Amino acid sequence: MQYANKRLQVANESLEEAHQSRSKWIRNISHEISTPLTNIRAYTMGMLDGVIPSKKNFIQLVYDQSLYLSRMLHDLHDMTNVENRQIKYDLQKVNIQDYVLNFYNKTKLDVEKEGIIFKYHDLLSDTVEELIVFIDPLRIEQVIVNILKNAKRFVKEDELDLVFNRFYKSKNQNQQQNGSGLGLSISKEIIEHHHGMIGVESKEGEGSCFYFMLPLLEGM
């Protein structure tokens, strides 16, 4: 009887913890969505009332907020699928060196349009013939894109243990620069599903280094 009561107590504590976590999750979602909606409403109402001139720069602000909201909803959809274990993976045997080089070639121009120096270094070409991994190419591309978006942002050393937490945002960046605060958390879930690991190193004044590792396919 005492053992049963103990198990019941543990179960109740787990349910309460899950409830608190879910409540915090909902509050965060509400806050993240309400902010861009409020901005959009304020700008459009101001233009309708004639308080704000209908000029290109103000219309651009509204458009940027709508893009932010769209990215937020996309990330929330992915995060919900992760939570419910409904995210789908199309795992394939992939030569990781060819895969990364192809990604670099197709994204180089778009990245450099943002004024970023984008370089590719293969440190393995002279030492191995072929490295095969078992991955979902689209999901790993999603991880790389998220890393690229975050690597250009300033990350302090004392933030490194937090950047992969859901909704975490750097204290010295504004909302538009930070994005939804879910991209790195989703990336972590994707990499861990592939039995890999993801991390970041940073030194103030020098920049940040995001990285992830994937297991090689056995027998290759």
Side-chain angles (χ1 to χ4, degrees):
M1 185 66 179
Q2 185 177 3
Y3 176 71
N5 288 337
K6 183 63 177 180
R7 290 189 60 184
L8 181 60
Q9 181 182 352
V10 171
N12 287 334
E13 289 174 353
S14 298
L15 287 173
E16 178 61 24
E17 184 178 343
H19 173 71
Q20 293 296 332
S21 177
R22 181 65 60 180
S23 296
K24 182 179 179 181
W25 169 245
I26 293 173
R27 287 196 301 272
N28 284 333
I29 292 173
S30 299
H31 173 73
E32 294 295 329
I33 291 178
S34 66
T35 301
L37 282 177
T38 299
N39 292 337
I40 290 171
R41 185 168 61 249
Y43 283 123
T44 53
M45 183 60 71
M47 284 186 277
L48 287 172
D49 292 342
V51 177
I52 298 176
S54 299
K55 294 183 179 180
K56 183 177 180 180
N57 60 323
F58 290 108
I59 296 174
Q60 184 68 48
L61 287 172
V62 174
Y63 179 71
D64 289 343
Q65 289 292 305
S66 69
L67 283 182
Y68 172 81
L69 188 58
S70 178
R71 289 195 297 268
M72 161 62 67
L73 293 174
H74 181 272
D75 286 347
L76 285 173
H77 179 266
D78 276 353
M79 198 73 248
T80 301
N81 284 340
V82 168
E83 286 265 301
N84 297 327
R85 301 186 180 277
Q86 292 178 341
I87 192 168
K88 295 180 180 179
Y89 292 92
D90 180 18
L91 298 173
Q92 305 170 25
K93 293 181 181 179
V94 173
N95 182 313
I96 193 63
Q97 290 168 286
D98 291 344
Y99 173 81
V100 174
L101 180 58
N102 289 335
F103 173 84
Y104 171 75
N105 288 332
K106 77 177 182 179
T107 58
K108 185 176 188 292
L109 290 178
D110 289 335
V111 172
E112 291 185 339
K113 282 179 182 177
E114 299 182 23
I116 299 170
I117 298 174
F118 192 36
K119 294 183 178 181
Y120 168 76
H121 297 287
D122 183 356
L123 303 178
L124 299 172
S125 293
D126 297 331
T127 59
V128 295
E129 293 183 3
E130 197 174 49
L131 293 173
I132 303 298
V133 291
F134 198 46
I135 63 171
D136 181 327
L138 291 179
R139 291 297 179 185
I140 295 299
E141 181 171 322
Q142 181 181 359
V143 171
I144 298 174
V145 169
N146 278 329
I147 285 177
L148 288 174
K149 287 179 180 178
N150 284 277
K152 67 180 181 180
R153 298 170 185 150
F154 179 76
V155 179
K156 291 182 178 182
E157 289 184 75
D158 59 2
E159 296 178 301
L160 299 187
D161 292 335
L162 304 172
V163 294
F164 293 102
N165 292 349
R166 296 173 190 177
F167 291 106
Y168 178 75
K169 294 188 175 185
S170 177
K171 296 184 286 292
N172 64 324
Q173 295 287 335
N174 62 38
Q175 180 192 41
Q176 198 67 38
Q177 291 174 311
N178 266 321
S180 68
L182 288 172
L184 288 177
S185 178
I186 293 170
S187 297
K188 184 173 184 288
E189 297 281 354
I190 292 173
I191 292 299
E192 288 180 350
H193 179 87
H194 285 78
H195 306 291
M197 64 169 294
I198 188 170
V200 59
E201 298 173 353
S202 181
K203 288 187 177 180
E204 189 168 349
E206 296 184 16
S208 304
C209 176
F210 284 84
Y211 63 90
F212 66 89
M213 292 183 279
L214 297 168
L216 292 175
L217 196 61
E218 291 185 8
M220 291 294 176

